[in-house]
Amino acid sequence: MTPTITAFERSPDRGMGLSRDVRVRWALEETGQPYDVRLVSFAAIKQRTHLAVNPFGQIPTYEEGDLALFESGSILLHIAEQHPGLLSADPHARARAITWMFAAVGTVEPPILDLQTAKFIESDKSWADERMPLVKDRIRDRLRQLSSHLGDAEWLDGAFSAGDLMMVHVLLRSRPSGLLDEFPNLSAYVARGEARPAYKRAFAAQRAAFTDAQPPGAAN
Ligand code: GTB
């Protein structure tokens, strides 16, 4: 059965590929799975129909027959477990790839999200400017550790896996701040992810959804 995912009809990132439906689209593209997309508004995700699928009122969600999932990590793991291409058949390599998925969402993503909060939600606070260097340094700490682990390797643990997919997408969100560029091997790692045909298809699909939703000439 073809799954249906949700994505914003007008993504706040203006189609730059940063919204979390992109990691799900990318996983479906890597594994060659067709999918449908239900585009939703900010208002709609706070209403009962959507809350029945994601009690936190967020995208992405994933519906397949009578299975309804939320949390991009859980959706990605489900896809990777159902279809070959993102997890090794070797049990240890598989477990390590899942570890990297958790590391991406649980260890690397939180400080990157904190910078968004600092910039867009807390910027009017009296202490905002004073706190900003700390927020950025916490991201740098994680990027430095990851950079040191990756070294000259192509991917985090041998062949490209669901762990790389999640990590690349998490790191993309640190690029607009300029922090990713401070670590050339991580920039190159992200660029390798973006160069994958499956990523390009996922990016193009979310970009098209954004531009289709805009009045002519509004998107750039
Ligand atoms: N832990 C959940 C998961 O991984 O699925 C987090 C899901 C989440 O935060 N979803 C966001 C959402 O629905 C959209 S992706 N937010 C609405 C709300 O919470 O009310 C987050 C996002 C938003 C904006 C940008 N951007 O502008 O760059 C990037 C990503």
Side-chain angles (χ1 to χ4, degrees), residues 8 12-13 18-20 45-46 58-60 71-72 173:
F8 285 133
D13 75 336
L18 303 179
S19 195
R20 287 181 181 81
I45 60 177
K46 305 303 176 196
Q58 297 184 317
I59 61 102
E71 283 298 326
S72 58
R173 192 108 178 248

Side-chain angles (χ1 to χ4, degrees), residues 163-181:
D164 293 298
L165 190 159
M166 188 62 99
M167 190 64 82
V168 166
H169 195 250
V170 162
L171 291 176
L172 270 168
R173 192 108 178 248
S174 70
R175 192 160 60 186
S177 67
L179 294 170
L180 185 67
D181 293 339

Side-chain angles (χ1 to χ4, degrees), residues 3-195:
T4 299
I5 68 166
T6 49
F8 285 133
E9 62 185 8
R10 282 186 187 80
S11 182
D13 75 336
R14 302 177 58 77
M16 295 303 290
L18 303 179
S19 195
R20 287 181 181 81
D21 57 290
V22 172
R23 51 186 74 164
V24 174
R25 293 174 188 267
W26 187 6
L28 289 161
E29 293 288 354
E30 287 284 351
T31 54
Q33 299 306 305
Y35 62 98
D36 294 325
V37 182
R38 189 165 63 248
L39 296 176
V40 289
S41 65
F42 272 93
I45 60 177
K46 305 303 176 196
Q47 286 163 16
R48 203 169 32 187
T49 311
H50 188 84
L51 292 174
V53 180
N54 182 342
F56 302 109
Q58 297 184 317
I59 61 102
T61 57
Y62 176 102
E63 291 157 76
E64 187 182 20
D66 57 7
L67 174 68
L69 298 175
F70 59 97
E71 283 298 326
S72 58
S74 142
I75 297 169
L76 183 44
L77 183 56
H78 173 73
I79 295 166
E81 282 183 329
Q82 297 301 308
H83 309 286
L86 288 170
L87 287 174
S88 169
D90 171 67
H92 283 192
R94 194 178 180 92
R96 288 195 301 271
I98 294 169
T99 300
W100 279 115
M101 286 179 60
F102 275 88
V105 292
T107 302
V108 179
E109 192 165 45
I112 294 173
L113 295 180
D114 197 27
L115 178 59
Q116 309 292 305
T117 308
K119 273 188 181 164
F120 300 114
I121 299 175
E122 298 171 349
S123 60
D124 60 341
K125 306 285 186 235
S126 57
W127 37 262
D129 287 349
E130 197 180 345
R131 185 168 177 266
M132 190 56 91
L134 289 177
V135 173
K136 290 189 172 173
D137 279 347
R138 285 190 194 119
I139 299 176
R140 281 193 185 92
D141 285 346
R142 288 296 180 233
L143 296 186
R144 190 174 298 113
Q145 291 165 323
L146 188 66
S147 166
S148 161
H149 170 85
L150 182 68
D152 294 331
E154 190 178 14
W155 305 114
L156 289 167
D157 186 59
F160 177 83
S161 76
D164 293 298
L165 190 159
M166 188 62 99
M167 190 64 82
V168 166
H169 195 250
V170 162
L171 291 176
L172 270 168
R173 192 108 178 248
S174 70
R175 192 160 60 186
S177 67
L179 294 170
L180 185 67
D181 293 339
E182 294 179 17
F183 301 88
N185 69 332
L186 292 185
S187 285
Y189 170 66
V190 168
R192 280 193 289 280
E194 291 176 295

